[in-house]
Amino acid sequence: MRINKITIENIKGIDKHEYEFLLEPNKPIFFVAPNGFGKSSFGIAFDSIIASKIELHKNHLHNNKDTNLPKIQINCIDKGNKSVLTADSTKNEINNQFDVFVINSKLVAKAKIADVNGKKIAKPSLEISKTLLINTIPQEFHFDYNPKDEKEKFAPIQKLPNNITELFSNFSLLNEIAEKIDFSKLRQVKKIALLKSLTEEILLQNGTTNKIKKYISDNILNNIQISEINEICNILETYDFQFIKDKVDLLTTALQIISVENRLQANFKKSVKYLEYLTDKAEYEEIIKSINSTRFKIKPIIENRKMFIEWPKAHNISNGQRDILTFITLLVKARKTFKKDNCILIIDEVFDYLDDGNLISFQYYISEFIEKMSSSKNLFPIIMTHLDPKFFNHFCFNDRKMQVCYLQKVNTKTSKEILKIVYNREEPTLKDELDKHYFHYHIDKSSDLSTEFQKHSLNKDWGNCTAFHSKISRELRRYLFENTPYDPIAVCIALRVEIEKLVYEKLKNQVYQDEFINSIHGTRNKLNFCVEKGRKIPEVYYLLGIIYNTSLHLKQGQDIRVPLSIKLDNINIKRMIESVFIPK
């Protein structure tokens, strides 16, 4: 299963938007867009999907009009077959194929009304909304397995059946048995007779435990005519229980499970359901305890047959503590929610305030989550963020597995000619001249690499230094003054060259200028050199280094034109660059 388009209509800030990307399952998927673009609206859209339709809160209606009906469409490709799944205010086809879970910020603004000298005054506060973990706690039922009672059923060979108490605390096993085995068939007359005959044959045996086991192994195991017993044994064999040492132990364990189910009958599945609740409760308690770095004791609360967590007041814990606690807790809930083969997980910028340690923890838990889910499901973990993984070192996911999708359309050119020159900047026959005359400011513009450019399949015309600088200046004019597509890499080179030119001119002293040109390498070092010589450098020259430095040191095949354009199109970045070329 792959997703190749998601369309959202009339949800919060989105009137209609089509997100066209080929999304592969079981890889971190980053949806990158600047603040204010509508990432939260994307998360709200999926968070509004319920079993039968989209149920949108009135505050999330597009333009606050109830006539703007919400709609989500997912275009899928599964083994070559294409399909379009739609959810709107009347239906939900997405639910036929996908489980959906959204993790977003649980911080909410509240106001308490206080009476101060007879006046009603609202006191605003930030609170973390409580997290509902289990909507309805099931009725309490237990298996009440008693090994002594089971052994008595095997008299006079009471040593044969093992004590399988441990097994009845294993939800995964018992749930698999409850789902796959139709125990009602064992209550059919023919099966009752076969089961009785099997048990009686075992009870007729005498001697040591080993002797009885050998008889069962040689004469019974291969002749069992009850398919349900064989199926239970096959399931048990996939688990690692120390009390099961051989196939005879598998058989006697299966017989004990059948005995317990026969006693409980309808209550057997109810006991499995209650065991699931106990297992979930224990897991939530353990995970919260292991990650809780606050001074507060945080654990699930039971009230009105619901289980939830009430978090400390927002002002009592740090933003990072809040985000990592709620994120990991909800990640556990997502895993327990996902039942279908195809699952969509939306993570909506819950890590804005995480420090380095917690950010690493975030990536560890999401990586582990993907790894576990990928063994049986197609998981699409979509991480909404304004932090571009290709620009910042915040994210350490495997580059080959990571998918980065840019939501904002850019005004970039598709030509790779300038990009190819950057790829070849370490080529021995090009390196020195490119660094000195092309990618950095130099007073001498007579350099000509046309022949070498031609040898390396680069644009021969731009091998002439003067022509190259004319090209990047032209692209800069398009960026600053024209509403036409521009080459972002060329803009960055022009920016770097202009900053170095302005710094060079500030030095004035010819000795310093010669040293600046011939001995100081790297733009930041050139800036520092000028400061050391007592010249004042605008801070914006340093700040823009995140733009012009990252863009001009690329490995072969690394294409950052789209994310770079997104940054260049930011109105504040553009103003900063304008201040370099058009000083006030």
Side-chain angles (χ1 to χ4, degrees):
M1 173 73 76
R2 292 180 296 172
I3 296 173
N4 63 328
K5 185 164 74 171
I6 298 173
T7 305
I8 297 176
E9 295 182 36
N10 292 325
I11 296 178
K12 202 179 179 185
I14 300 174
D15 51 358
K16 181 175 181 179
H17 199 105
E18 293 182 350
Y19 306 87
E20 293 192 60
F21 308 106
L22 186 60
L23 305 181
E24 302 283 349
N26 304 320
K27 297 178 180 180
I29 302 166
F30 286 88
F31 274 15
V32 181
N35 291 327
F37 182 80
K39 298 187 297 297
S40 292
S41 298
F42 185 98
I44 287 168
F46 279 89
D47 206 19
S48 302
I49 296 176
I50 61 173
S52 58
K53 61 181 180 177
I54 294 177
E55 190 171 84
L56 202 61
H57 190 279
K58 63 180 181 179
N59 292 340
H60 297 151
L61 293 168
H62 181 59
N63 289 338
N64 296 315
K65 293 182 179 179
D66 55 13
T67 53
N68 288 332
L69 300 177
K71 184 178 179 181
I72 301 173
Q73 282 188 330
I74 299 178
N75 292 50
C76 307
I77 304 173
D78 189 13
K79 298 177 181 177
N81 298 317
K82 297 181 179 180
S83 61
V84 180
L85 306 173
T86 301
D88 56 28
S89 55
T90 62
K91 65 177 180 295
N92 182 5
E93 298 168 348
I94 294 172
N95 191 51
N96 298 335
Q97 290 289 331
F98 289 93
D99 278 329
V100 176
F101 194 91
V102 177
I103 298 178
N104 49 26
S105 175
K106 298 304 173 186
L107 200 62
V108 293
K110 290 192 175 181
K112 293 183 178 179
I113 306 300
D115 191 326
V116 180
N117 297 325
K119 292 183 177 181
K120 303 294 183 183
I121 299 176
K123 291 188 175 182
S125 66
L126 289 176
E127 295 185 11
I128 310 168
S129 59
K130 65 183 181 182
T131 301
L132 180 65
L133 300 177
I134 298 176
N135 191 46
T136 304
I137 295 174
Q139 190 176 353
E140 185 173 354
F141 283 95
H142 297 280
F143 296 99
D144 294 328
Y145 167 76
N146 188 324
K148 182 179 178 182
D149 290 345
E150 294 302 322
K151 280 182 177 291
E152 287 179 357
K153 294 176 184 177
F154 280 84
I157 52 170
Q158 292 186 17
K159 291 182 180 180
L160 189 59
N162 293 310
N163 183 339
I164 62 171
T165 302
E166 174 191 346
L167 180 150
F168 289 99
S169 61
N170 190 312
F171 165 72
S172 178
L173 167 69
L174 292 167
N175 186 56
E176 187 176 357
I177 289 174
E179 287 184 347
K180 292 182 177 179
I181 306 301
D182 184 355
F183 285 96
S184 66
K185 291 183 179 180
L186 291 172
R187 285 184 274 280
Q188 295 173 353
V189 174
K190 183 178 178 181
K191 292 285 178 76
I192 290 173
L194 287 172
L195 190 58
K196 182 180 179 183
S197 175
L198 171 65
T199 307
E200 287 176 350
E201 184 176 359
I202 293 173
L203 294 176
L204 285 173
Q205 307 313 308
N206 295 309
T208 64
T209 300
N210 288 338
K211 182 180 178 182
I212 297 171
K213 274 192 165 188
K214 187 174 187 312
Y215 177 86
I216 295 172
S217 179
D218 293 343
N219 300 283
I220 296 178
L221 287 180
N222 294 327
N223 298 310
I224 297 175
Q225 299 177 46
I226 306 173
S227 60
E228 289 75 17
I229 292 179
N230 292 323
E231 289 175 32
I232 294 172
C233 288
N234 290 336
I235 294 171
L236 287 168
E237 207 164 14
T238 63
Y239 290 78
D240 184 23
F241 291 109
Q242 295 300 309
F243 56 79
I244 297 179
K245 298 180 174 60
D246 51 43
K247 292 188 180 297
V248 175
D249 288 339
L250 283 173
L251 172 61
T252 56
T253 301
L255 291 174
Q256 289 189 80
I257 293 171
I258 291 170
S259 174
V260 170
E261 194 282 336
N262 190 52
R263 173 169 50 81
L264 296 175
Q265 296 195 18
N267 289 341
F268 184 82
K269 285 193 173 182
K270 293 179 181 178
S271 298
V272 172
K273 192 68 180 173
Y274 189 72
L275 177 60
E276 179 183 23
Y277 156 68
L278 294 177
T279 304
D280 289 351
K281 181 173 181 288
E283 184 175 357
Y284 282 122
E285 288 174 343
E286 184 177 345
I287 194 71
I288 293 169
K289 183 179 179 181
S290 69
I291 61 175
N292 181 17
S293 61
T294 74
R295 67 180 187 274
F296 299 96
K297 188 175 182 180
I298 304 171
K299 64 178 184 178
I301 294 172
I302 311 300
E303 194 174 284
N304 297 325
R305 293 189 66 192
K306 298 180 184 294
M307 188 171 82
F308 58 88
I309 295 176
E310 279 193 336
W311 304 101
K313 299 294 183 184
H315 66 272
N316 286 329
I317 62 176
S318 73
N319 294 329
Q321 288 174 323
R322 173 199 72 213
D323 287 347
I324 199 68
L325 274 167
T326 55
F327 167 71
I328 295 175
T329 302
L330 288 169
L331 197 62
V332 174
K333 183 178 178 181
R335 175 168 54 79
K336 297 179 181 302
T337 300
F338 289 150
K339 306 295 183 185
K340 295 185 176 69
D341 291 339
N342 302 300
C343 310
I344 296 174
L345 173 67
I346 310 288
I347 302 172
D348 184 14
E349 289 194 301
V350 298
F351 41 83
D352 288 353
Y353 298 100
L354 298 184
D355 57 26
D356 290 346
N358 278 328
L359 194 54
I360 292 171
S361 297
F362 160 78
Q363 292 171 85
Y364 165 74
Y365 280 105
I366 191 66
S367 297
E368 187 181 54
F369 183 82
I370 294 170
E371 187 71 25
K372 287 182 178 178
M373 294 289 290
S374 64
S375 63
S376 59
K377 300 184 186 301
N378 293 315
L379 172 68
F380 296 87
I382 299 174
I383 302 167
M384 314 293 293
T385 178
H386 62 274
L387 299 174
D388 187 345
K390 291 187 176 180
F391 257 86
F392 299 102
N393 294 323
H394 294 76
F395 300 107
C396 308
F397 293 106
N398 185 334
D399 287 345
R400 293 183 180 181
K401 292 184 177 181
M402 189 168 62
Q403 301 175 83
V404 180
C405 306
Y406 299 98
L407 305 187
Q408 181 176 321
K409 296 189 185 312
V410 294
N411 200 23
T412 186
K413 280 188 174 179
T414 57
S415 171
K416 289 189 176 181
E417 293 304 316
I418 292 286
L419 194 59
K420 285 166 64 178
I421 297 173
V422 177
Y423 291 156
N424 283 273
R425 70 177 298 173
E426 296 300 322
E427 195 61 45
T429 58
L430 299 173
K431 179 177 171 54
D432 291 342
E433 285 297 295
L434 281 178
D435 281 346
K436 183 179 287 189
H437 295 283
Y438 294 75
F439 294 153
H440 291 278
Y441 173 71
H442 200 287
I443 54 175
D444 180 8
K445 297 291 191 295
S446 63
S447 177
D448 195 312
L449 292 171
S450 301
T451 303
E452 289 299 325
F453 269 39
Q454 191 171 19
K455 287 180 183 178
H456 292 89
S457 300
L458 303 176
N459 189 317
K460 180 183 175 181
D461 293 339
W462 296 343
N464 178 279
C465 185
T466 301
F468 178 81
H469 283 278
S470 295
K471 163 66 178 175
I472 63 175
S473 295
R474 189 163 61 250
E475 294 301 320
L476 177 72
R477 287 194 300 273
R478 287 194 176 107
Y479 166 66
L480 287 178
F481 308 117
E482 304 170 16
N483 188 26
T484 55
Y486 63 88
D487 187 317
I489 302 293
V491 170
C492 287
I493 299 173
L495 173 62
R496 173 192 268 187
V497 170
E498 181 66 14
I499 287 175
E500 291 187 5
K501 173 177 174 289
L502 293 171
V503 173
Y504 171 85
E505 291 172 348
K506 281 180 175 289
L507 287 168
K508 300 188 184 299
N509 183 300
Q510 189 62 50
V511 175
Y512 291 163
Q513 287 181 335
D514 290 344
E515 187 176 355
F516 177 92
I517 290 291
N518 299 313
S519 302
I520 308 300
H521 304 289
T523 306
R524 189 175 185 85
N525 291 333
K526 290 176 182 289
L527 297 179
N528 290 339
F529 176 79
C530 190
V531 172
E532 289 168 6
K533 300 310 176 187
R535 306 298 188 266
K536 188 176 181 181
I537 298 295
E539 193 67 23
V540 69
Y541 292 4
Y542 283 98
L543 295 174
L544 287 171
I546 192 66
I547 301 293
Y548 59 70
N549 277 332
T550 307
S551 317
L552 303 182
H553 295 273
L554 304 174
K555 297 176 183 177
Q556 185 71 34
Q558 187 180 2
D559 189 351
I560 63 166
R561 288 174 299 164
V562 172
L564 179 57
S565 291
I566 290 173
K567 284 174 176 51
L568 289 172
D569 286 346
N570 179 284
I571 188 170
N572 293 309
I573 296 292
K574 193 166 187 176
R575 285 173 180 168
M576 291 166 67
I577 294 174
E578 283 177 350
S579 74
V580 174
F581 290 92
I582 316 170
K584 294 180 181 178

